Amino acid sequence: MSAQNPFQDPLRFERRVPECALVIFGASGDLNKRKLMPALFRLAYDRRLSAGFAIIGVSRSPLSDDQFRERMCEAVKEFSEDTQFEPDVWQAFAQGLFYLPGDIGDPDMYHRLGQKLSEIEQSRHTGGNVLFYLSVQPSQYARAAQGLGEAGLGSGNGWRRLVVEKPFGHDLESARALSDELHKVFQESDVYRIDHYLGKETVQNILAFRFGNGIFEPLWDRRYIDHVQITAAESIGVEGRGGYYQEAGALADMIQNHLLQVMATIAMEPSASFRADSVRDERAKLLRSIHIMSPEEVRQDAVAGQYGPGRIGGKDVPGFREEQGVDAESQTNTFAAATFVVDNWRWAGVPFFLRTGKRLPKRTTEISIHFKPAPLAIFNGQAAQMTPNLLIVRIQPEEGLSLKFLSKRPGTGMNLRPVSMDFNYGSSFGERSPSAYETLLLDAIIGDATLYTRQDMVEASWKVVEPIQQVWHSEKNDFPNYAAGAWGPKEADEMVARHGHSWREP
Ligand code: BG6
């Protein structure tokens, strides 16, 4: 295969990157500086963007194009973790960077944006294709869509797509209302709801592992799998986002979206093809099959926590209620755990234990699939034989898969011991993994929505989460109930213990 001829490279042939302009609303915000710009620069560095690719940053700060370029240059240097800064690549990239000062609430801004887009279409030959990215407060999403619609920017001579960051509403009703507003201007197929967990390399690899191999899928059900655990632990606190986080909490911030999507990827039925809607139909179907808890079940099978002061990594850290922007009596959950069951033939009776929290002992995200033990203990009833097989999908910080099984210890006796068969991304491929934002931005430019969340999935997730939220909001919690640096409140251990299990310590 010749690297010179792009048409002989199947990936490039199938996924031709079209010319387009990307409009980032909220361009002076943190997300743009920390994630979007470094990801876009990396795509440019890897020559993945088209020649005329252009970015227009929109926000209120009064900046010129050049001042914006300088700021973005600093951001790229500061936040590109593993991309070498090459001045030549930057120069070429920066020529496609533009800036428009303006307020989301000001109708005139959209008209000026329209003019700027026409100029750029002429000068950079973007073909009229525009990807709008809302990196602004969620309360401004509907206003932005309306402004684009009123200025006639929701359609044009090329394609128009809208990327929206979570949260998609704060409950089922508000999620539907938001979607109705967006749909006044953009069709559902042009709305790209980003869930950056789905862009993570190992989460995508779940699909390859399950559906690219023949040997695992026959084991992938209630006959062989005893239970599944998904842990997304963070050691950081709310990092200056106390105001937002106080409204959201861990359940809405992480479980409603990221962890339920990960669970859906683990548990969905095989899709008939790898087309976006085929995969998304299966994810959606799985989400709809999750049992909706009654208030009584919520009290048994969901646990809220909030951290108090404690120690992490040898340092004293304040409790959540002492964080900036947080109410001294806050009832917000910074830890959430729940036991979900899936009401379908494949999974009936198999608990999925999900937990997430801030200020836990370390940053780690993993899925562990706990298989049933061997049916007969023939090795003199050795305790080791009760150790079930375990498949661990490590999402971060390391990326890989481990399969734990029993092996005979060397020696004359028949002694068994658990051992591990490991696959590590780094050592197996010797290549860097793209960041989730690189993958997802490129997908949106190409028009591949496989890893994006559809409105029916958002609604199905809210239906699962809302009953929990309602019970938690209606009852006063005895917070704080775990010290920073602990693995959450003891009730989370008790919840799992009631099902006869314990959390795996990642
Ligand atoms: C975001 C949440 O969606 O995901 C944050 O709003 C959280 O609260 C973050 O810290 C975690 O992402 P990652 O990729 O660091 O696991």
Side-chain angles (χ1 to χ4, degrees):
M1 191 186 305
S2 152
Q4 270 77 45
N5 182 351
F7 295 105
Q8 287 186 14
D9 175 342
L11 276 180
R12 293 196 62 175
F13 182 68
E14 282 167 26
R15 293 171 45 103
R16 200 184 72 80
V17 183
E19 307 291 339
C20 80
L22 166 64
V23 178
I24 303 176
F25 292 102
S28 49
D30 244 26
L31 179 74
N32 186 35
K33 286 194 257 180
R34 286 172 183 271
K35 302 282 184 195
L36 305 184
M37 273 301 148
L40 290 162
F41 178 66
R42 179 68 202 205
L43 290 170
Y45 178 94
D46 289 339
R47 315 287 191 274
R48 302 301 306 269
L49 300 174
S50 61
F53 184 71
I55 300 170
I56 305 173
V58 180
S59 66
R60 278 180 301 190
S61 323
L63 301 175
S64 66
D65 286 343
D66 279 338
Q67 285 169 322
F68 180 62
R69 288 172 185 146
E70 269 166 41
R71 288 199 184 184
M72 294 304 106
C73 183
E74 282 160 27
V76 164
K77 283 181 181 161
E78 186 176 350
F79 297 113
S80 293
E81 281 159 19
D82 54 2
T83 308
Q84 209 188 331
F85 185 83
E86 280 187 12
D88 290 352
V89 181
W90 174 260
Q91 282 312 326
F93 179 72
Q95 277 174 18
L97 272 183
F98 303 90
Y99 185 76
L100 183 79
D103 191 313
I104 296 261
D106 173 14
D108 183 54
M109 183 272 285
Y110 299 93
H111 291 287
R112 287 186 290 118
L113 177 61
Q115 282 160 12
K116 192 130 185 157
L117 279 168
S118 305
E119 287 160 24
I120 288 171
E121 184 181 337
Q122 296 299 318
S123 61
R124 296 193 59 90
H125 311 291
T126 52
N129 298 325
V130 189
L131 182 65
F132 298 103
Y133 198 117
L134 300 184
S135 170
V136 294
Q137 292 296 325
S139 57
Q140 296 180 310
Y141 292 168
R143 179 69 197 91
Q146 188 193 357
L148 290 170
E150 283 167 1
L153 297 175
S155 57
N157 46 353
W159 49 255
R160 303 291 156 111
R161 298 182 189 132
L162 181 73
V163 182
V164 197
E165 277 282 338
K166 66 165 247 282
F168 315 121
H170 49 86
D171 56 16
L172 182 60
E173 193 187 327
S174 57
R176 282 188 176 142
L178 170 64
S179 153
D180 289 347
E181 289 301 319
L182 302 183
H183 288 163
K184 286 182 187 160
V185 183
F186 295 92
Q187 306 177 36
E188 176 60 24
S189 57
D190 293 328
V191 178
Y192 284 61
R193 294 178 193 79
I194 205 163
D195 186 309
H196 78 281
Y197 264 62
L198 291 181
K200 289 182 189 278
E201 199 67 38
T202 324
V203 176
Q204 293 178 69
N205 195 33
I206 295 169
L207 296 176
F209 179 80
R210 288 191 57 198
F211 307 131
N213 297 294
I215 62 171
F216 303 110
E217 208 45 32
L219 306 179
W220 216 255
D221 64 24
R222 62 192 300 279
R223 283 173 302 168
Y224 297 99
I225 293 179
D226 185 70
H227 72 282
V228 176
Q229 300 188 8
I230 304 179
T231 295
E234 294 184 274
S235 55
I236 55 169
V238 287
E239 308 286 291
R241 293 159 77 226
Y244 153 75
Y245 198 83
Q246 175 158 259
E247 295 302 315
L251 181 70
D253 187 49
M254 292 289 289
I255 293 192
Q256 188 274 340
N257 36 72
H258 305 322
L259 297 198
L260 283 177
Q261 289 293 333
V262 169
M263 175 177 159
T265 310
I266 283 286
M268 69 187 228
E269 293 301 311
S271 69
S273 77
F274 197 52
R275 297 180 77 82
D277 271 330
S278 186
V279 176
R280 298 198 299 174
D281 285 346
E282 295 306 337
R283 269 207 196 98
K285 198 166 87 192
L286 189 284
L287 291 168
R288 284 198 299 273
S289 313
I290 299 177
H291 174 74
I292 310 286
M293 291 186 208
S294 66
E296 202 32 57
E297 286 167 330
V298 170
R299 289 182 195 100
Q300 290 290 314
D301 270 328
V303 174
Q306 187 194 82
Y307 63 87
R311 265 179 98 70
I312 296 189
K315 279 206 332 224
D316 287 332
V317 297
F320 178 65
R321 289 175 175 178
E322 284 87 63
E323 301 266 12
Q324 201 190 350
V326 175
D327 199 270
E329 302 278 293
S330 172
Q331 283 286 312
T332 301
N333 56 86
T334 61
F335 175 97
T339 308
F340 293 117
V341 289
V342 180
D343 289 337
N344 67 15
W345 275 47
R346 187 190 281 265
W347 296 115
V350 177
F352 286 74
F353 302 115
L354 273 55
R355 67 174 167 170
T356 185
K358 302 271 185 203
R359 290 289 192 219
L360 301 185
K362 58 180 177 178
R363 175 175 186 253
T364 181
T365 302
E366 70 158 45
I367 305 158
S368 54
I369 294 150
H370 301 243
F371 288 87
K372 292 192 169 161
L376 189 65
I378 62 168
F379 299 108
N380 301 330
Q382 286 182 44
Q385 209 190 332
M386 301 315 288
T387 314
N389 296 115
L390 197 59
L391 176 71
I392 299 157
V393 181
R394 291 186 309 277
I395 296 174
Q396 59 193 24
E398 287 88 34
E399 300 176 308
L401 288 164
S402 295
L403 183 63
K404 307 235 181 246
F405 57 93
L406 285 181
S407 174
K408 180 187 170 301
R409 283 178 73 162
T412 48
M414 194 61 180
N415 291 316
L416 305 188
R417 210 189 65 181
V419 292
S420 181
M421 203 152 75
D422 295 314
F423 153 70
N424 285 307
Y425 259 87
S427 50
S428 296
F429 289 108
E431 281 173 35
R432 92 180 251 287
S433 296
S435 73
Y437 277 95
E438 283 165 52
T439 302
L440 294 169
L441 279 164
L442 194 65
D443 281 358
I445 292 168
I446 290 170
D448 181 348
T450 313
L451 301 175
Y452 282 85
T453 310
R454 234 171 30 193
Q455 178 61 17
D456 57 338
M457 297 154 105
V458 171
E459 292 186 15
S461 303
W462 276 121
K463 281 185 190 157
V464 169
V465 158
E466 210 175 56
I468 304 176
Q469 219 170 28
Q470 278 165 357
V471 172
W472 289 1
H473 286 172
S474 67
E475 293 173 359
K476 193 161 182 313
N477 297 287
D478 195 10
F479 284 162
N481 59 355
Y482 71 100
W487 280 104
K490 66 175 186 346
E491 287 80 1
D493 299 336
E494 291 165 4
M495 175 190 87
V496 176
R498 274 196 291 279
H499 292 268
H501 302 296
S502 57
W503 291 106
R504 193 190 110 76
E505 188 156 324

